[in-house]
Amino acid sequence: MKKKKKNENSSKIFEGHDHGACFGDAITLIEDYFIEKKLQLTPLRRKVFEILIEDHKPLGAYEILDSLGKAGFSSSPPIAYRVLDFLMEHGFVHKVQGLNAFIACSNPEHSHFPTFVICRKCEKVAEVSDEKTRLNLSSPEITDFKIEKTTIELTGICSTCENAEIR
Amino acid sequence: MKKKKKNENSSKIFEGHDHGACFGDAITLIEDYFIEKKLQLTPLRRKVFEILIEDHKPLGAYEILDSLGKAGFSSSPPIAYRVLDFLMEHGFVHKVQGLNAFIACSNPEHSHFPTFVICRKCEKVAEVSDEKTRLNLSSPEITDFKIEKTTIELTGICSTCENAEIR
DNA sequence: CATGTAATGATATAACGTAACATCTTAACA
DNA sequence: TGTTAAGATGTTACGTTATATCATTACATG
Ligand SMILES: [Zn+2]
Ligand SMILES: [Zn+2]
Ligand SMILES: [Zn+2]
Ligand SMILES: [Zn+2]
């Protein structure tokens, strides 16, 4: 199961990738994690995660509910929110606050404080590990505060969209 | 109008401050800015800003609407959202995404990418200038992206609340 | 069987936000 | 000064996002 890490040496966060491998790897990873932690990867939870990892972009709760409905599950709001909360607790899903939407984690192997880079034009979203973009939290202003969770979202325009805008 | 800057040498971001001076300074600042930019600081806009600066904490749009209603203004949703958008455009108000709430800027003199530090227990929120906490955005991952806006929110527990939790 | 616990289902409603259009005010200008 | 255009506010209606609450199912344990 040891695959080459995706985009390891790339400087382009919005590049494509081998999504088949990405999908398979992610499923394996969540299965293993759930077994190890003695959690139930129920059909509902699996389906929600699959919907997110398949689309590989942020989806609103009600979009997820639509998909769930089409797949034969209940599609009442609490269903989605409960499962999403659960998956978020365990680091397999993040919420993109600026879009009121949810996205499968691109790198659940790391315990991390992810940064999301969001193009306002093409609406692509990239998750960047905190190893790459790191807040300077050493300033004395923050020493009397214990950080439990971070929301870091960078909105702007990707080079592809910017080049398109110029002409 | 040259007052000593608030908390200049403090290491505690959740400390109190001279709110009378804070309020007065902020009003003066926004008045001057609006004159300089030939913008209308109308009664409605002034009132919304006063509500926020007075409370000095994040308020939901509907809380603001309540206050507006009590002050004799219309309290239909678009009123608040329009004025908030306007004040945000000019940097006098920020949205705290994690709370769906709005807060007066603590430091509108700077053009900045602010960081918000949010205690989940006492719900106090501090705005920290980007001069203090700065993202490392030099990583090649982000060089093909032009950042226009940042959302940086650190949620956790302040030392006061943590000490209270222990006993 | 009785009880407990985890997960899911279902209804209703709260909270947040916007589109569209009407009315009123201000600033600019002939 | 009256006309006009732009800016600001008001109003209705609606759309979207999220939660509270209670009911049901399934399965484990004593
Ligand atoms: Zn992640
Ligand atoms: Zn783009
Ligand atoms: Zn600010
Ligand atoms: Zn606190």
Side-chain angles (χ1 to χ4, degrees), chain B residues 91-94 104-108 110 112 114 116 127:
Chain B
F92 291 94
V93 168
H94 300 295
C105 177
S106 298
N107 197 354
H110 301 192
H112 54 213
F116 289 96
E127 178 179 350

Side-chain angles (χ1 to χ4, degrees), chain A residues 37-86:
Chain A
K37 297 268 178 166
K38 298 196 205 308
L39 302 171
Q40 301 181 50
L41 186 55
T42 62
L44 178 63
R45 287 169 180 169
R46 175 185 287 266
K47 185 68 195 176
V48 170
F49 183 68
E50 284 175 358
I51 290 166
L52 285 170
I53 196 86
E54 182 55 46
D55 266 53
H56 217 300
K57 67 175 191 186
L59 296 177
Y62 284 74
E63 292 180 280
I64 293 167
L65 283 169
D66 281 350
S67 296
L68 285 178
K70 283 168 191 157
F73 292 90
S74 163
S75 59
S76 51
I79 294 291
Y81 285 102
R82 278 194 295 234
V83 172
L84 289 167
D85 282 348
F86 184 86

